[in-house]
Amino acid sequence: MTKISPLLLKLLLFLIFAGWVSLWLLKPTQLWTKSWKLAEKKTANSFLTQSGLNLAVYTFPVIAIAIVGFVYLELKKKEPTSRKGRSSLSVLSNPLVVNKYIGILSGFEILVVSLFIIFLAWTFYARISNDFKKMVPMKSFTLSVWQYKLFRVATRCGLLAEACLALLLLPILRGMSIFQLLGIQFEASVRYHVCLGTAMILFATLHGGGTLLIWGIKHSIGDEMWKWQKTGRIYLAGEITLLTGLVIWITSLPQIRRKRFEIFYYTHHLYIVFLIFFLFHAGDRHFYMVFPGVFLFCFDKILRMIQSRPETYVLSARIFPSRVIELTLPKDPRLKYTPTSVIFLKIPMISSFQWHPFSITSSSNVDQHTMSILIKAEGWWTSTLFNMLHSNPDAEAGEMRFFQVATEGPYGPSSMDFLRYDSLLLVAGGIGVTPFLSILQEIASTRSNKNVLPLKIQLVYTIKNSQGICLLDPVLRHVFNAEQRYLQLKVFVTREHQSSRSLREVLNEVSEIQNIQFVNKGPCYAIHGLENLRWMSAFLLVASVVFLAFLIISNHVFIKTDKKSSEPKTATSVVDILLICSFALALISSTLVATMWRWKRLREEIPSFSEKESKAMKSIEANKGFDQHEIHYGARPNFKDIFSQFANESKGSNVGVFVCGPETMKESVATTCQLPSKAFQNEGQDHKPFFSFHSLNFTL
């Protein structure tokens, strides 16, 4: 039965998704409009009410995908990892477009974007063509034909902004991320959030700007823009929504986000104002289309807040010569996570509100009781942490007073796909090596059989100066020894021109690492991670039912409906407030249940962490295995030569290429992966190598 269940769940997911997409395609048509009005009329005075019908049809399909999807992912975890064979769809996952302005786009991404653009075009055409057929300029406006057309175009641009908003929050879900179903990690899906946000602001600006232009032509801006109508669209709410959205978008531009992260972080919390006034402007019927993302996002945030309590302590720290810090945190030995996972960290001594993501460098199979992360001091937050550790007088003695940290996560892929390739080619730049440290430790811990996949691994590591090599320290004792011949390291030091030193000599020179052991007063709680996906699925189902119950009850009590027209007599803003209150009650009740469950686990299941369980401090040790590795000074990697040589040495037909580093490096590797297989074949070589490109992110 366990073998059949994932297949059935996958089929069910496909059917729900197909129904949800069909709903969006049919919504602009007159057929759907007439059928929906009839359905609303029938349910207006029924137990379900119009609000319940809208919730069930427009909102619940996406929530159902999350509920069923989490169960599917939980069952998928139990399936053994098998070899990843090349399929006809593999071409879609590889880079098709590489451009410094739009980044790296795979064939699959281009296909999805194209379909979404076609959907937007269809929605706009269906709505605007129907408007032009019924071209009756409003008497109060005394509009001419071209003015009326412009006004309708501006109005329909609002529907396009609504479609983008419906998807906007889905890519930034963490614990409840439905993008896991597509094998997309949280840090990779953030760029979809950025693109959708930009498109939404564009359409919203056209919507608001076009409307204001028409008002200006008729000299009625002062009369119209301050209106808070009892029924229909509330203009003032729409203006507040647009203004708030523009503030959020402008402060999220890379020029501000990277240099003034605090401004970006705090203004992004204006999303609460944005969503509330969008509801008042568009009305509850339009809001139900975008509500699935809001629903999942709010419950995801609530569970993350609960998971981050209580705070824990940093066990130890190491300061590397290249302004990089390694923090070691306590971990529940039952917590298992996949390599390339990230964890969000908050240090109240630095900021009580800011959370920052970091790649986990340790493996849960190697370090049972601890978890390690590497942090490079670049921005204000990380530099403050570095100075706090480096300049503390107690740090010189190797001990320091403990400080509290809060954690969220870890968040990572649902499966270890890198184990399915014949060979692995890992390309890292600077601090971008951090995700690969966990991959290498995971492979080293499970490599009891020499024939286990991957058979050959090469790590190409590019750094500015030789001090950066010390970041490889976490994997030295596990990987770089004379017996592990499956791994080869190629280091490129770009800003130094000393060709006489070997890798062994460089490691001996940069091995001055400052170790700090924190003095804790007593035991602390270990990081236990997220609740299992089945629990989250059940939690979502119960929360949905509770919200629907509150919504139906409030509608029956407070909303009066005209029996003849089936339209509510109550002001639309009152209906919107009832929706907000019902959702707030569902959030509060669900939060209480989740909190009680959490504290029950703390008392009964989650162990406290004792200082005695802390792992011993690691040190860089040069051993005989370094002779097989290379170091190059004053040069950058020639990826075409590296790929050709690796294809000849590995003799594998299916090579996984994982890259993490600066965008220019990713683009160079992606361009190389675009080359045909013949470009990497040597004379007399029978097999045709196929390179599967994967991009990892260490910054958001």
Side-chain angles (χ1 to χ4, degrees):
M1 183 64 184
T2 56
K3 293 182 179 179
I4 302 175
S5 296
L7 183 61
L8 292 176
L9 290 176
K10 187 182 289 188
L11 178 61
L12 180 59
L13 285 170
F14 175 78
L15 293 175
I16 298 174
F17 178 75
W20 182 64
V21 171
S22 301
L23 180 65
W24 276 95
L25 293 174
L26 289 172
K27 193 171 184 286
T29 64
Q30 287 299 303
L31 174 63
W32 177 265
T33 302
K34 294 178 181 178
S35 302
W36 188 248
K37 285 183 178 180
L38 182 62
E40 282 189 326
K41 187 175 182 180
K42 290 181 178 179
T43 57
N45 297 308
S46 67
F47 171 76
L48 188 61
T49 72
Q50 289 184 357
S51 296
L53 177 66
N54 279 278
L55 177 70
V57 175
Y58 289 136
T59 302
F60 191 70
V62 179
I63 300 175
I65 289 175
I67 293 171
V68 178
F70 293 154
V71 177
Y72 168 76
L73 289 174
E74 187 70 24
L75 294 176
K76 190 180 177 182
K77 286 182 179 179
K78 301 177 182 179
E79 295 180 352
T81 303
S82 58
R83 182 182 182 277
K84 189 178 182 68
R86 180 184 175 185
S87 64
S88 56
L89 296 177
S90 300
V91 180
L92 290 177
S93 63
N94 258 18
L96 196 61
V97 174
V98 180
N99 185 278
K100 65 178 181 179
Y101 297 108
I102 62 175
I104 303 169
L105 296 177
S106 66
F108 177 75
E109 288 173 322
I110 292 175
L111 176 62
V112 172
V113 170
S114 301
L115 291 175
F116 185 64
I117 292 175
I118 292 172
F119 159 72
L120 293 179
W122 154 249
T123 300
F124 183 79
Y125 169 77
R127 293 290 190 181
I128 205 70
S129 60
N130 185 59
D131 289 340
F132 289 173
K133 288 177 183 177
K134 302 184 298 183
M135 196 180 304
V136 182
M138 289 179 285
K139 295 180 180 179
S140 59
F141 269 44
T142 62
L143 298 176
S144 63
V145 173
W146 75 268
Q147 291 170 351
Y148 178 78
K149 287 184 176 181
L150 178 60
F151 184 75
R152 297 315 299 170
V153 167
T155 302
R156 295 316 178 188
C157 282
L159 292 179
L160 303 185
E162 177 186 311
C164 295
L165 180 58
L167 302 175
L168 182 64
L169 296 176
L170 297 180
I172 56 173
L173 298 175
R174 298 180 195 171
M176 292 188 174
S177 174
I178 59 177
F179 274 69
Q180 294 181 66
L181 295 169
L182 301 175
I184 301 174
Q185 292 182 235
F186 163 74
E187 68 274 15
S189 63
V190 168
R191 72 169 181 164
Y192 306 137
H193 170 75
V194 174
C195 295
L196 286 167
T198 302
M200 182 196 71
I201 290 298
L202 172 63
F203 293 129
T205 303
L206 293 174
H207 170 63
T211 304
L212 287 172
L213 177 62
I214 295 299
W215 289 348
I217 292 173
K218 293 303 174 184
H219 307 288
S220 59
I221 289 183
D223 297 329
E224 299 293 339
M225 69 181 300
W226 301 109
K227 280 186 178 180
W228 190 281
Q229 299 92 321
K230 184 178 179 181
T231 58
R233 306 286 179 267
I234 299 175
Y235 297 150
L236 180 59
E239 293 147 18
I240 296 174
T241 303
L242 178 58
L243 182 62
T244 307
L246 285 171
V247 171
I248 294 174
W249 180 77
I250 291 171
T251 55
S252 65
L253 294 173
Q255 295 83 349
I256 298 177
R257 187 181 73 248
R258 292 171 183 169
K259 295 181 180 180
R260 296 288 186 270
F261 179 82
E262 295 75 25
I263 297 176
F264 156 77
Y265 182 81
Y266 293 119
T267 55
H268 240 61
H269 285 78
L270 290 173
Y271 72 86
I272 300 173
V273 177
F274 177 87
L275 290 172
I276 290 175
F277 281 95
F278 172 81
L279 169 60
F280 286 132
H281 173 64
D284 63 317
R285 293 179 180 177
H286 283 271
F287 190 75
Y288 283 117
M289 296 297 292
V290 306
F291 191 55
V294 178
F295 185 92
L296 293 174
F297 177 80
C298 290
F299 280 100
D300 181 66
K301 196 170 185 65
I302 288 294
L303 290 180
R304 288 191 280 114
M305 291 173 61
I306 295 172
Q307 183 220 335
S308 64
R309 307 296 195 276
E311 295 171 341
T312 185
Y313 305 109
V314 177
L315 298 176
S316 60
R318 296 196 298 165
I319 302 177
F320 292 89
S322 53
R323 288 181 61 84
V324 174
I325 309 164
E326 181 190 56
L327 298 183
T328 302
L329 307 170
K331 179 184 78 72
D332 187 338
R334 294 169 297 182
L335 172 61
K336 300 296 180 183
Y337 52 85
T338 52
T340 72
S341 294
V342 298
I343 190 168
F344 281 74
L345 194 69
K346 181 183 75 171
I347 301 180
M349 285 182 64
I350 300 177
S351 173
S352 300
F353 303 102
Q354 289 189 30
W355 292 86
H356 293 266
F358 300 99
S359 297
I360 301 174
T361 58
S362 56
S363 167
S364 56
N365 287 331
V366 176
D367 299 313
Q368 297 290 333
H369 298 279
T370 58
M371 175 189 295
S372 301
I373 57 175
L374 286 179
I375 302 173
K376 185 173 180 60
E378 289 181 326
W380 170 81
W381 192 91
T382 53
S383 296
T384 303
L385 174 62
F386 178 83
N387 295 331
M388 186 173 68
L389 296 175
H390 192 263
S391 60
N392 193 291
D394 296 332
E396 297 179 1
E399 291 188 353
M400 184 176 175
R401 189 175 180 273
F402 70 94
F403 60 89
Q404 292 181 321
V405 297
T407 61
E408 286 182 10
Y411 307 108
S414 57
S415 60
M416 295 186 287
D417 285 339
F418 60 87
L419 293 177
R420 299 181 178 183
Y421 290 103
D422 299 332
S423 306
L424 283 182
L425 184 58
L426 311 178
V427 183
I431 194 65
V433 75
T434 50
F436 301 139
L437 300 179
S438 59
I439 288 179
L440 294 175
Q441 292 192 76
E442 184 75 25
I443 292 174
S445 67
T446 58
R447 200 173 176 85
S448 57
N449 184 1
K450 293 184 178 181
N451 295 323
V452 71
L453 294 177
L455 301 174
K456 184 76 174 177
I457 303 174
Q458 185 175 108
L459 173 61
V460 180
Y461 187 32
T462 305
I463 48 179
K464 294 179 180 179
N465 52 65
S466 55
Q467 285 186 335
I469 298 179
C470 63
L471 300 186
L472 297 175
D473 172 69
V475 299
L476 293 182
R477 63 171 56 192
H478 298 295
V479 180
F480 296 120
N481 59 64
E483 297 179 358
Q484 303 288 10
R485 292 290 180 181
Y486 64 90
L487 174 66
Q488 184 184 18
L489 171 66
K490 288 187 177 182
V491 179
F492 292 84
V493 185
T494 59
R495 294 187 180 179
E496 294 181 8
H497 300 275
Q498 304 175 25
S499 58
S500 59
R501 294 186 301 169
S502 65
L503 183 60
R504 183 200 302 270
E505 292 171 338
V506 173
L507 284 170
N508 288 333
E509 290 178 10
V510 300
S511 59
E512 297 180 1
I513 300 176
Q514 183 180 357
N515 296 330
I516 301 175
Q517 196 77 22
F518 291 92
V519 180
N520 296 345
K521 291 183 178 180
C524 60
Y525 284 104
I527 298 172
H528 67 283
L530 305 168
E531 300 289 350
N532 68 71
L533 293 174
R534 285 186 179 179
W535 185 91
M536 284 212 250
S537 179
F539 177 80
L540 266 183
L541 180 60
V542 173
S544 303
V545 173
V546 171
F547 171 59
L548 179 61
F550 279 127
L551 187 64
I552 291 175
I553 292 172
S554 63
N555 273 261
H556 278 292
V557 173
F558 296 103
I559 295 180
K560 297 179 180 180
T561 306
D562 189 342
K563 294 183 179 180
K564 294 182 179 179
S565 63
S566 300
E567 291 294 327
K569 296 180 180 179
T570 314
T572 54
S573 56
V574 175
V575 178
D576 299 336
I577 291 173
L578 289 177
L579 172 60
I580 295 173
C581 292
S582 300
F583 186 53
L585 288 172
L587 272 177
I588 293 170
S589 57
S590 301
T591 301
L592 291 174
V593 172
T595 303
M596 289 188 291
W597 177 270
R598 160 76 171 148
W599 286 109
K600 179 183 177 182
R601 284 197 63 195
L602 285 175
R603 290 196 306 268
E604 299 176 0
E605 299 179 26
I606 301 175
S608 59
F609 188 89
S610 174
E611 192 71 27
K612 297 179 181 180
E613 296 171 332
S614 176
K615 63 179 179 181
M617 299 303 297
K618 298 172 283 188
S619 61
I620 295 182
E621 300 176 359
N623 50 48
K624 299 178 181 179
F626 287 111
D627 297 336
Q628 70 193 61
H629 307 297
E630 303 174 10
I631 183 168
H632 305 271
Y633 294 94
R636 297 183 182 274
N638 185 321
F639 290 113
K640 184 177 180 181
D641 292 344
I642 290 173
F643 275 50
S644 299
Q645 184 180 355
F646 185 71
N648 185 47
E649 293 176 356
S650 63
K651 297 180 180 180
S653 59
N654 198 13
V655 181
V657 180
F658 292 77
V659 58
C660 185
E663 290 302 317
T664 52
M665 173 182 284
K666 292 181 180 179
E667 291 167 7
S668 298
V669 175
T671 302
T672 308
C673 288
Q674 285 182 309
L675 298 175
S677 299
K678 293 181 180 180
F680 308 113
Q681 272 187 291
N682 297 320
E683 294 183 6
Q685 187 175 340
D686 297 331
H687 64 279
K688 291 183 179 181
F690 178 77
F691 293 94
S692 297
F693 178 84
H694 302 271
S695 176
L696 303 178
N697 296 322
F698 61 93
T699 57
L700 299 181

